[in-house]
Amino acid sequence: MLDEVRERIQQRDAVAVTRLAQHVNRADWARLIPDLTPPEIAVLLQWLPDEDIPAVLAELEPEFAARILRTLTRQAAADLLEAIDPDDATDIVEELSAREAEEILVAMEQAEADEIRELMAYPPDTAGGRMTPAYVAVSPDLRADQAVVALRQVAEEAETVNYVYVTDDDEKLLGVLSLHRLVLTSPHTRISDLMAAGVISVPAQADQEVAARMLTEYDLLALPVIDSEGHLLGIITVDDVSDILEEEATEDIERLGGSQPLDESYLRARPFLLWRRRVGWLLVLFLAGAYTSTILRFFDDELQSEVELAFFIPLLIGIGGNVGSQVVTTIVRSMAVDDIDIGDTFRIVGKEMQTAIMLSAVLATAMFGRTIFMGVGVDLGIVVAISVTAIVLWAALIAAVLPLFLRQLRVDPAVVSAPLITTLVDGTGLIIYFSAAKLILDL
């Protein structure tokens, strides 16, 4: 597809591109456009149908869409943003510099510009930052037939009309009813008699992941966003859920791997950006791991008197790191979906300790068998087996407890990455190993 688009552009075949646009949906365009050169994109935008361009921009990564806006006149950029849903337009404007954003906003219609400015007031990873003000609300005093007439007038501008929200004159959220119920009810029924009170809503300052989880948990098509006084500010729709959950999952996975999250596609990220995202964590891990060599130096006499001790160091610290990584990944994931919290600490520790005991029994037996096979002696085999048991239990305990307490300190639990847990367990595992060797081997 990319080659075909390029060929049509290079041939200056506007008719062919226009025909092609009829068979390529906006999601496909969003995948194709980032691989085109700036001159090719400029030509393509001239030939795509005017009504398709805003939808394509909305599908692109906000950072890339902002690059395209910079190549246009301020008025052309403003016209495009006016045709995009306010929440998507806000994501794009936030990628521009303050001067660029203001110049484009000034060129927009006042109402649309004000909507974007209001949304920009909220952090992008909050419910307020993800909401759209394009919702449908009616007064509780209207009759059903009057509400239907009012809906027809605003339905085209709304993000969704599946839910009709009921607000008072002060825009406070009173209730909600489905469009299905509204159109099937008696025309003279009052909205106040149709609506369901006690609407499930989310505060504007709540984390976007909380909003996404509420949408999926309650099987909603849209979730109203309110301020501290209950005023309806906007809605988050079900199509935002996949984007939010993908962002959050990607962020957690990258942090668990010991790297800061990327703000753009991996294939479009430059090596310098990857370096910046990784080098900080690597330096932290380097400093944290430096004590491992210090511990080895401290037990230098023991190593010299019993050289065979060194044979099992890589295996022991590897086991500790692997156990810690398994546990911390499970705990962070469970915390992300609100399956556990700090109140479950003792249950979690109990469960992980029981699991660790069973794991250590298997691993200790395997390691003891390994020492016998290598012919290094039964005493050293006992040291290794005891060390494996203690290291597995210790790694499981640290990995189970630390994420829970970090959340209490308002630190992202995903920061407790697998590399960091591995680094912590490496040094302490060596202390356990050499302490057992000194005690049993009388070194």
Side-chain angles (χ1 to χ4, degrees):
M1 179 67 73
L2 176 62
D3 293 337
E4 184 178 357
V5 171
R6 274 213 168 101
E7 183 180 352
R8 297 291 183 264
I9 292 175
Q10 292 168 0
Q11 293 173 351
R12 301 287 173 174
D13 193 342
V15 175
V17 171
T18 303
R19 288 175 181 168
L20 191 62
Q22 298 174 356
H23 305 288
V24 179
N25 61 45
R26 60 186 184 179
D28 290 330
W29 280 124
R31 284 192 292 269
L32 291 171
I33 288 177
D35 292 324
L36 298 176
T37 64
E40 289 172 337
I41 293 174
V43 173
L44 181 63
L45 292 178
Q46 293 176 11
W47 293 344
L48 280 177
D50 290 342
E51 62 273 15
D52 288 351
I53 297 176
V56 171
L57 278 181
E59 285 290 327
L60 290 169
E61 292 289 335
E63 189 271 341
F64 195 86
R67 288 188 208 170
I68 293 178
L69 288 189
R70 291 190 183 100
T71 67
L72 307 176
T73 65
R74 293 296 180 247
Q75 189 57 57
D79 292 341
L80 281 176
L81 286 177
E82 289 174 356
I84 298 175
D85 290 334
D87 52 337
D88 294 326
T90 302
D91 291 339
I92 297 172
V93 171
E94 287 177 333
E95 296 295 333
L96 300 169
S97 69
R99 180 183 59 81
E100 291 170 331
E102 189 57 31
E103 288 177 355
I104 295 177
L105 289 172
V106 168
M108 294 177 63
E109 293 290 335
Q110 187 66 43
E112 280 83 354
D114 287 345
E115 285 181 341
I116 291 177
R117 286 191 176 98
E118 289 174 7
L119 293 177
M120 289 175 66
Y122 298 98
D125 59 350
T126 63
R130 297 305 296 252
M131 71 181 178
T132 174
Y135 59 85
V136 176
V138 297
S139 167
D141 299 326
L142 291 179
R143 300 192 311 268
D145 57 345
Q146 293 174 322
V148 170
V149 172
L151 285 181
R152 290 193 181 120
Q153 297 173 352
V154 299
E156 188 174 344
E157 298 178 3
E159 179 89 1
T160 177
V161 293
N162 290 298
Y163 296 138
V164 179
Y165 297 99
V166 184
T167 58
D168 61 16
D169 295 337
D170 197 29
E171 296 299 322
K172 283 192 175 181
L173 182 61
L174 302 177
V176 65
L177 69 153
S178 67
L179 179 64
H180 179 267
R181 184 176 185 186
L182 178 62
V183 297
L184 292 181
T185 195
S186 169
H188 301 290
T189 307
R190 292 283 177 186
I191 295 298
S192 57
D193 296 328
L194 289 174
M195 72 178 191
V199 189
I200 296 171
S201 59
V202 64
Q205 298 298 333
D207 189 272
Q208 61 176 358
E209 192 173 3
V210 173
R213 199 178 305 123
M214 291 177 67
L215 271 163
T216 54
E217 181 179 346
Y218 293 103
D219 199 22
L220 300 173
L221 297 176
L223 180 68
V225 180
I226 60 174
D227 64 13
S228 59
E229 297 179 351
H231 297 105
L232 181 58
L233 303 175
I235 60 172
I236 297 177
T237 53
V238 69
D239 60 325
D240 295 319
V241 171
S242 59
D243 294 334
I244 293 173
L245 294 181
E246 181 182 355
E247 286 177 15
E248 295 290 342
T250 299
E251 183 177 306
D252 286 347
I253 289 170
E254 289 176 342
R255 283 180 171 164
L256 281 169
S259 174
Q260 288 296 316
L262 295 174
D263 297 324
E264 58 183 294
S265 164
Y266 171 78
L267 291 178
R268 290 196 293 274
R270 297 178 180 178
F272 180 74
L273 175 61
L274 298 177
W275 173 83
R276 275 199 305 126
R277 295 299 188 186
R278 296 174 183 175
V279 68
W281 259 114
L282 287 176
L283 288 174
V284 169
L285 294 174
F286 168 78
L287 293 174
Y291 79 107
T292 301
S293 57
T294 303
I295 292 170
L296 284 172
R297 186 173 181 179
F298 182 80
F299 288 104
D300 182 61
D301 292 340
E302 286 78 4
L303 277 173
Q304 289 187 23
S305 61
E306 191 75 34
V307 177
E308 289 87 352
L309 286 171
F311 298 166
F312 303 97
I313 290 177
L315 274 174
L316 290 172
I317 63 177
I319 287 173
N322 291 336
V323 170
S325 297
Q326 288 180 336
V327 175
V328 78
T329 301
T330 304
I331 298 300
V332 170
R333 171 58 184 162
S334 297
M335 294 172 70
V337 297
D338 267 356
D339 188 35
I340 58 176
D341 57 33
I342 191 69
D344 299 311
T345 300
F346 290 109
R347 290 180 60 192
I348 294 168
V349 170
K351 186 185 295 289
E352 290 299 337
M353 287 299 97
Q354 291 178 52
T355 305
I357 289 171
M358 291 185 284
L359 290 173
S360 63
V362 175
L363 293 171
T365 302
M367 288 292 283
F368 183 79
R370 174 66 174 165
T371 59
I372 299 302
F373 178 78
M374 293 177 64
V376 295
V378 174
D379 288 346
L380 184 53
I382 294 174
V383 169
V384 172
I386 291 175
S387 299
V388 167
T389 302
I391 289 171
V392 169
L393 292 171
W394 173 242
L397 178 63
I398 291 208
V401 172
L402 201 52
L404 293 164
F405 281 97
L406 278 177
R407 172 175 276 188
Q408 289 299 106
L409 299 174
R410 300 188 182 280
V411 176
D412 188 346
V415 173
V416 190
S417 60
L420 182 57
I421 287 291
T422 299
T423 303
L424 291 173
V425 172
D426 283 354
T428 50
L430 288 175
I431 294 175
I432 292 171
Y433 179 41
F434 284 116
S435 298
K438 287 183 67 174
L439 181 65
I440 296 174
L441 302 180
D442 195 22
L443 299 179

